[in-house]
Amino acid sequence: MVKIALLGAAGQIGTPLSLLCKASDLFDEISLYDIVHVPGIATDLNHIDTRGRVSGHLPEDSGLKKALSGADVVVVTAGIARKPGMTRDDLFRTNAGIIRDIFTEIAATCPQAMCCVVTNPVNSTLPVATEVLKKAGVFNPTHIFGVTTLDVVRASTFVAHALGDNVDPKDFKVPVIGGHSGATILPLYSQAQPPVKLDDETLATVINRVQFGGDEIVKSKQGAGSATTCMAYAGFRFVKALLAGKRGEPITEEAFVYLPGIPGGKEIAADLGVDYFAVKIQLGKTGATKALPIGKISEDETKLLEVALKDLRANIATGLSFMA
Ligand code: LMR
């Protein structure tokens, strides 16, 4: 029996993510939670001929508790999204409170669940979530992830776009480390497989597009929000990886994590001087089983890493001071 709880399921990421989960046949139970509309969305999804039962829960009658009860995996997409002219940090004031309240209930109801935080700004909301779990005495660093998979998806996609029309993004594996916001997003094209051959100017353009891919969508949507379908796709890819790990299949994905609590992470954290950072994580039956070393990076990437770390330290401090 596998149960997933999707919090924020009536939102523009949550709804397509619910569809992907229901269509996948990977779940016996899918519980949707939001402040509006989810009972109807659940009924709608339940007309799909896959076996997972979908339930919708509103805040009344302990709806959040019911949605979380017995959950193996929780994905949090709840919160507000960016409008043109906003940075992810502008979302913090509203979304930090939402994350705090949700994780307070997670701590009480399903502290053993694997939790995926999509709600922005991830660089700050993940520290909020971990602090809530720490204060409740149920923090398991191998079970909580800031979802950065969209950056990895973009890194493959945008290099394929730069290389030509007939190039399949799936042919490229590009590690992306750091965080999930602007300069904190660091695609490591020097480690791309197969190796990427682009002139310096084109490569710099591709890196910038990965770092600011979110802004590209915000601008294009002209006030109607930010990434939704590609974020749902990426979030679902991460959930699938978690489940594959749980089944004992060898799999890695990048994620923004609390490094000191994951085998191999302490050394990386000491090296970088930050506790929260996105690296490639080995996933297993017990969640994150290993943080993989960053490896050799180019001179240009080293410079970008310094910039990323500076921004990231500030973002992490914002999250921690909210909970202090
Ligand atoms: C993204 O990367 O597209 C998302 O984090 C949404 C945003 O605000 O940019």
Side-chain angles (χ1 to χ4, degrees):
M1 286 292 285
V2 184
K3 173 172 175 175
I4 188 165
L6 304 173
L7 313 184
Q12 290 189 52
I13 300 170
T15 303
L17 181 60
S18 313
L19 174 60
L20 290 170
C21 289
K22 173 65 176 152
S24 73
D25 232 348
L26 286 171
F27 304 97
D28 301 284
E29 219 183 314
I30 302 166
S31 61
L32 312 181
Y33 173 81
D34 211 321
I35 52 174
V36 288
H37 302 322
V38 276
I41 297 172
T43 306
D44 187 349
L45 287 167
N46 275 326
H47 287 208
I48 294 173
D49 61 352
T50 53
R51 81 200 145 88
R53 285 296 177 89
V54 188
S55 56
H57 306 270
L58 296 168
E60 43 268 26
D61 300 326
S62 309
L64 181 53
K65 191 175 265 312
K66 285 179 188 156
L68 289 171
S69 177
D72 302 287
V73 179
V74 179
V75 185
V76 187
T77 59
I80 56 165
R82 286 201 283 164
K83 297 229 158 37
M86 289 171 88
T87 66
R88 289 184 187 79
D89 292 342
D90 295 327
L91 308 173
F92 182 73
R93 193 174 280 275
T94 305
N95 288 354
I98 294 171
I99 289 292
R100 180 198 52 213
D101 296 349
I102 282 174
F103 273 85
T104 302
E105 191 57 60
I106 288 174
T109 305
C110 58
Q112 80 299 332
M114 306 231 193
C115 297
C116 309
V117 178
V118 173
T119 303
N120 271 318
V122 169
N123 295 355
S124 308
T125 52
L126 190 78
V128 170
T130 61
E131 284 300 304
V132 174
L133 298 175
K134 276 186 193 173
K135 283 190 175 152
V138 294
F139 177 47
N140 178 351
T142 67
H143 274 40
I144 177 157
F145 309 90
V147 177
T148 59
T149 321
L150 181 52
D151 304 318
V152 181
V153 168
R154 284 179 173 139
S156 307
T157 305
F158 297 163
V159 78
H161 288 180
L163 286 166
D165 286 344
N166 296 325
V167 182
D168 185 345
K170 289 224 177 58
D171 289 344
F172 289 92
K173 301 273 171 284
V174 185
V176 183
I177 62 168
H180 179 65
S181 181
T184 71
I185 301 167
L186 179 48
L188 299 177
Y189 282 105
S190 67
Q191 296 182 5
Q193 283 303 328
V196 164
K197 288 188 184 62
L198 288 173
D199 63 75
D200 289 353
E201 199 186 326
T202 311
L203 181 60
T205 306
V206 171
I207 291 171
N208 187 272
R209 193 170 173 213
V210 175
Q211 293 185 315
F212 297 94
D215 299 69
E216 181 177 313
I217 296 179
V218 170
K219 198 166 162 224
S220 177
K221 288 197 173 174
Q222 300 182 328
S226 55
T228 54
T229 53
C230 63
M231 184 57 96
Y233 169 87
F236 182 64
R237 169 171 146 172
F238 189 73
V239 167
K240 273 194 302 184
L242 277 185
L243 295 186
K246 255 167 117 44
R247 290 193 300 268
E249 294 166 21
I251 190 148
T252 59
E253 275 288 358
E254 278 85 346
F256 186 64
V257 292
Y258 180 75
L259 280 173
I262 298 175
K266 219 179 250 169
E267 296 75 9
I268 303 171
D271 223 38
L272 297 171
V274 286
D275 283 348
Y276 294 88
F277 199 77
V279 283
K280 200 182 276 292
I281 301 289
Q282 200 170 290
L283 297 164
K285 289 187 175 159
T286 54
T289 53
K290 193 165 186 203
L292 300 178
I294 293 169
K296 196 169 174 304
I297 62 176
S298 71
E299 247 174 64
D300 286 347
E301 287 164 354
T302 306
K303 286 185 197 140
L304 290 173
L305 177 58
E306 272 165 36
V307 180
L309 285 169
K310 187 168 161 282
D311 285 6
L312 199 48
R313 283 193 190 101
N315 295 159
I316 295 164
T318 302
L320 295 178
S321 61
F322 177 79
M323 287 302 295

